[in-house]
């Protein structure tokens, strides 16, 4: 294996007409050492594209070191300043990424035939970009992020116009892009996400990793950053309507979360006298996410709006029964493999939870259907779709 510093490379300035293979740069300025949805997407896209383009050069531009556990060992990187990592530097990193994308990125992108932006951040000066949009939640919900709302309102429309192709991760997101920006339908390609089958898979061998770490078993699981649209307060208030015996047998485990919103949820738990039944994990390390789903009694996904819905897919792949709100992209991802409910009606969620808790055969049915449904979504398919888009929009020299 190469030493980490040997995998940091510089791309020479060349006459691109002499190159037989495409040089593909990937703008990974958003990558972080504690990935959530968009970070998970970016890692897997890099790794799957490196396999799809075996004869081409893939160059991720990232603030991480090559030894990062999520990046394939065979991938060289172009190292960006570590200051760009959000988990380490917060709002300073956001300002740093904007500055880098605006001032430094234009010089890098000239070295490539194609630039892939796995997020909605890119260059305002380049026409050879593929721009990926996961959701437009900050336009729909004002309390998510003020600076992101500003970016999506005033700057993202410029990037969309400059991009050669805009990728949406679901039909629901595509509709939002057309609605908010009037982007031509023909410019938007829907490419679904995949999941890491090495990490997320069903295992029928007994496991107590989560029990040993968090002291909970047969738990109802909720996963997400606890923004208000994730609807966890609705979940807690509905969970409070279950009887004490059911709550004792099936505690609620809420994984992930931003501190501000977690504090609000913890106050609600205290007010409802549910502290004995509900636990918050904070950020869950990547290696524990598979066991987290596998040991869960069910995943409850009460979100009001999703661009895609990674947790639902990952849970299905792990054989975990899923309850999901019948909204936005979730029916696209989950098909007929989950138990749907109305995420605005407590009685609807309560009935769904009771049904899955009470009927063992129904739980087994959801598990079997979920495992089959998850097989439809692979990173190989995602990379193949990107490759088709690149081959059709960026002809080889």
């Amino acid at each position: 294996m190469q030493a980490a510093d040997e995998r940091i490379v510089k791309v020479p300035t060349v006459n691109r007409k002499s190159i037989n293979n495409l040089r593909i740069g990937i703008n990974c300025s958003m990558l972080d050492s504690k990935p959530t949805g968009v970070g998970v997407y970016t890692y897997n896209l890099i790794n799957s594209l490196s396999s799809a383009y075996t004869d081409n050069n893939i160059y991720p531009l990232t603030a991480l070191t090559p030894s990062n556990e999520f990046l394939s060992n065979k991938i060289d990187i172009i190292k960006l300043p570590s200051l760009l990592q959000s988990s380490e530097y917060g709002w300073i990193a956001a300002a740093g990424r904007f500055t880098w994308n605006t001032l430094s990125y234009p010089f890098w992108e000239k070295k490539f035939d194609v630039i892939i932006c796995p997020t909605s951040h890119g260059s305002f000066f380049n026409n050879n970009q593929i721009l990926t949009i996961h959701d437009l939640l900050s336009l729909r919900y004002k309390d998510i992020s003020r600076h992101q709302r500003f970016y999506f309102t005033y700057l993202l429309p410029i990037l969309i116009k400059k991009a050669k192709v805009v990728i949406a991760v679901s039909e629901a997101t595509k509709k939002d892009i057309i609605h908010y920006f009037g982007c031509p339908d023909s410019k938007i390609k829907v490419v679904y996400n995949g999941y890491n089958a090495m990490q997320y898979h069903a295992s029928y061998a007994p496991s107590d990793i989560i029990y040993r770490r968090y002291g909970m078993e047969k738990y109802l699981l909720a996963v997400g950053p606890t923004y208000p649209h994730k609807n966890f307060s609705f979940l807690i208030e509905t969970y409070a309507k279950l009887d004490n015996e059911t709550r004792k047998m099936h505690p609620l485990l809420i994984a992930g979360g931003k501190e501000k919103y977690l504090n609000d949820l913890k106050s609600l738990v205290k007010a409802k006298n549910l502290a004995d039944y509900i636990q918050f994990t904070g950020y869950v390390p990547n290696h524990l996410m598979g066991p987290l789903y596998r040991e869960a009694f069910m995943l409850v996904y009460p979100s009001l709006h999703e661009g895609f819905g990674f947790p639902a897919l990952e849970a299905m792949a792990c054989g975990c029964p899923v309850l999901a709100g019948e909204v936005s992209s979730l029916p696209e991802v989950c098909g007929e493999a989950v138990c749907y409910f109305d995420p605005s009606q407590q009685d609807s969620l309560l009935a769904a939870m009771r049904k899955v808790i009470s009927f063992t055969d129904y739980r087994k049915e959801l598990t079997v259907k979920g495992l089959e449904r998850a097989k439809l979504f692979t990173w190989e398919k995602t990379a193949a779709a990107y490759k088709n888009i690149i081959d059709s929009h960026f002809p080889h020299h």
Side-chain angles (χ1 to χ4, degrees):
M1 185 185 301
Q2 292 174 293
D5 57 353
E6 292 176 345
R7 291 173 53 208
I8 300 175
V9 299
K10 294 182 178 180
V11 180
T13 302
V14 295
N15 177 3
R16 286 189 291 182
K17 290 183 179 180
S18 68
I19 297 176
N20 294 321
N21 297 319
L22 290 176
R23 301 166 74 83
I24 301 173
I26 306 179
N27 181 349
C28 305
S29 55
M30 282 285 289
L31 264 191
D32 198 271
S33 58
K34 295 181 178 179
T36 52
V38 173
V40 170
Y41 176 91
T42 304
Y43 283 121
N44 284 284
L45 181 64
I46 293 170
N47 293 334
S48 58
L49 280 174
S50 71
S51 297
Y53 279 97
T54 54
D55 296 327
N56 290 267
N57 292 321
I58 303 288
Y59 292 98
L61 291 80
T62 171
L64 300 173
T65 61
S67 60
N68 180 270
E69 63 177 303
F70 306 108
L71 290 172
S72 168
N73 287 330
K74 65 181 180 180
I75 297 175
D76 294 325
I77 72 165
I78 297 168
K79 185 74 166 62
L80 305 182
S82 298
L83 190 67
L84 303 187
Q85 285 196 62
S86 290
S87 64
E88 304 295 331
Y89 299 100
W91 68 268
I92 296 175
R97 285 194 302 273
F98 178 77
T99 302
W100 181 85
N101 275 288
T102 305
L103 300 179
S104 299
Y105 184 35
F107 294 98
W108 277 109
E109 63 193 8
K110 293 176 182 178
K111 301 175 185 290
F112 303 104
D113 300 288
V114 186
I115 286 285
I116 294 175
C117 303
T119 69
S120 51
H121 294 77
S123 168
F124 299 107
F125 308 103
N126 188 280
N127 293 317
N128 281 343
Q129 289 183 114
I130 296 176
L131 186 69
T132 307
I133 297 180
H134 298 268
D135 61 59
L136 296 172
L137 290 168
S138 61
L139 295 180
R140 186 179 292 270
Y141 301 102
K142 296 181 180 179
D143 49 3
I144 288 183
S145 169
R146 186 176 299 175
H147 71 267
Q148 190 178 80
R149 184 176 176 82
F150 176 88
Y151 180 86
F152 278 22
T153 301
Y154 299 106
L155 302 180
L156 185 56
I158 302 172
L159 285 177
I160 289 174
K161 287 181 180 179
K162 294 289 288 185
K164 183 163 284 190
V165 181
V166 175
I167 288 179
V169 297
S170 66
E171 292 288 349
T173 295
K174 178 178 179 177
K175 289 178 182 177
D176 283 349
I177 295 169
I178 294 171
H179 171 73
Y180 284 106
F181 302 115
C183 182
D185 182 287
S186 59
K187 191 173 186 176
I188 307 171
K189 308 299 180 186
V190 174
V191 178
Y192 290 115
N193 300 339
Y195 72 94
N196 187 338
M198 295 293 290
Q199 180 179 11
Y200 300 109
H201 56 83
S203 173
Y204 297 100
S207 171
D208 63 352
I209 296 173
I210 301 303
Y211 177 73
R212 283 188 278 113
R213 178 150 181 151
Y214 299 111
M216 300 183 86
E217 58 184 346
K218 295 184 178 180
Y219 49 86
L220 310 188
L221 175 65
V223 175
T226 65
Y227 289 123
H229 76 276
K230 293 294 185 180
N231 216 16
F232 286 172
S233 58
F234 165 84
L235 170 59
I236 291 169
E237 289 169 353
T238 306
Y239 180 77
K241 294 187 174 184
L242 292 171
D243 60 86
N244 285 345
E245 193 62 34
T246 301
R247 290 200 301 265
K248 190 178 297 183
M249 185 177 296
H250 300 292
L252 176 60
L253 191 62
I254 297 177
K258 305 289 185 182
E259 186 175 357
K260 175 183 181 298
Y261 300 105
L262 278 179
N263 289 336
D264 293 341
L265 294 177
K266 288 175 181 177
S267 296
L268 176 60
V269 167
K270 186 176 181 181
K272 294 284 185 180
N273 295 315
L274 294 172
D276 291 339
Y277 309 105
I278 298 178
Q279 185 170 333
F280 298 88
T281 68
Y283 178 80
V284 176
N286 186 63
H287 70 279
L288 291 179
M289 287 303 299
L292 187 72
Y293 290 121
R294 285 191 284 274
E295 293 182 36
F297 192 79
M298 70 176 86
L299 173 77
V300 186
Y301 206 48
S303 182
L304 295 170
H305 196 89
E306 287 294 321
F308 181 77
F310 266 122
L313 176 59
E314 292 165 349
M316 288 191 296
C318 288
C320 176
V322 175
L323 280 67
E326 197 168 10
V327 294
S328 58
S329 63
L330 294 178
E332 287 181 65
V333 176
C334 301
E336 301 299 318
V338 307
C339 179
Y340 289 109
F341 60 89
D342 183 341
S344 67
Q345 299 295 323
Q346 288 187 12
D347 288 346
S348 178
L349 173 55
L350 194 62
M353 288 194 293
R354 284 173 173 162
K355 183 177 181 180
V356 177
I357 289 171
S358 301
F359 298 100
T360 303
D361 287 346
Y362 183 58
R363 282 192 71 248
K364 291 179 179 177
E365 179 185 334
L366 290 178
T367 294
V368 171
K369 287 184 176 179
L371 289 170
E372 288 302 309
R373 182 71 184 179
K375 292 177 183 177
L376 300 177
F377 299 87
T378 69
W379 287 116
E380 290 76 16
K381 285 185 178 179
T382 304
Y386 264 89
K387 190 173 187 300
N388 287 337
I389 290 168
I390 291 170
D391 291 347
S392 61
H393 289 82
F394 303 86
H396 290 224
H397 295 292

